Amino acid sequence: QVQLVESGGGLVQAGGSLRLSCAASGRTGSTYAVAWFRQAPGKERDFVAAISWSDSRTYYADSVKGRFTISRDNRKNTVYLQMNSLKPEDTALYYCAAGPYIVLVSNLWDYWGQGTQVTVSS
């Protein structure tokens, strides 16, 4: 019902910035929350940030608070993740997810994008 496409990843130096985009399409009427997760090689998929589709409620993992900002543009059906002060530990495949509720467990989200790679050089 919902298709998600991430973009904006790339290779950056430590301390640099990137902005990821998640564009949603399809039947999005029942989607009320969007989140970013990330997965590094050999590790589990971890929650990064989430936002309510219709208001300004946001949630962040402790590891990214103060450095990452999630935002939305409802008119474009797009969610952004502004990542500043990037660290090598931020290197991962970043996924966009959508669902009816904000939850921290990845397998409870209904829709997923293909992922976009973020690599931070040391």
Side-chain angles (χ1 to χ4, degrees):
Q1 285 186 280
V2 178
Q3 295 79 47
L4 304 173
V5 179
E6 303 98 329
S7 62
L11 174 64
V12 298
Q13 295 178 324
S17 298
L18 285 173
R19 189 178 76 161
L20 306 183
S21 298
C22 173
S25 61
R27 303 180 67 176
T28 60
S30 61
T31 298
Y32 301 110
V34 177
W36 288 95
F37 288 78
R38 65 187 183 185
Q39 187 169 26
K43 298 183 179 180
E44 65 182 4
R45 188 171 299 184
D46 292 328
F47 173 81
V48 176
I51 189 169
S52 170
W53 192 256
S54 60
D55 61 26
S56 60
R57 291 183 299 148
T58 58
Y59 303 85
Y60 297 94
D62 288 342
S63 60
V64 305
K65 286 181 179 178
R67 298 189 299 120
F68 292 9
T69 303
I70 189 169
S71 61
R72 72 191 188 281
D73 187 336
N74 288 359
R75 297 175 66 181
K76 297 181 179 179
N77 274 2
T78 299
V79 171
Y80 304 96
L81 185 68
Q82 178 67 46
M83 305 185 295
N84 298 326
S85 301
L86 283 163
K87 305 174 181 179
E89 305 93 276
D90 297 317
T91 295
L93 188 63
Y94 282 70
Y95 294 93
C96 180
Y101 311 103
I102 293 178
V103 293
L104 304 184
V105 180
S106 62
N107 62 4
L108 297 181
W109 292 80
D110 296 324
Y111 307 102
W112 292 86
Q114 82 289 346
T116 185
Q117 179 67 39
V118 172
T119 302
V120 184
S121 63
S122 60

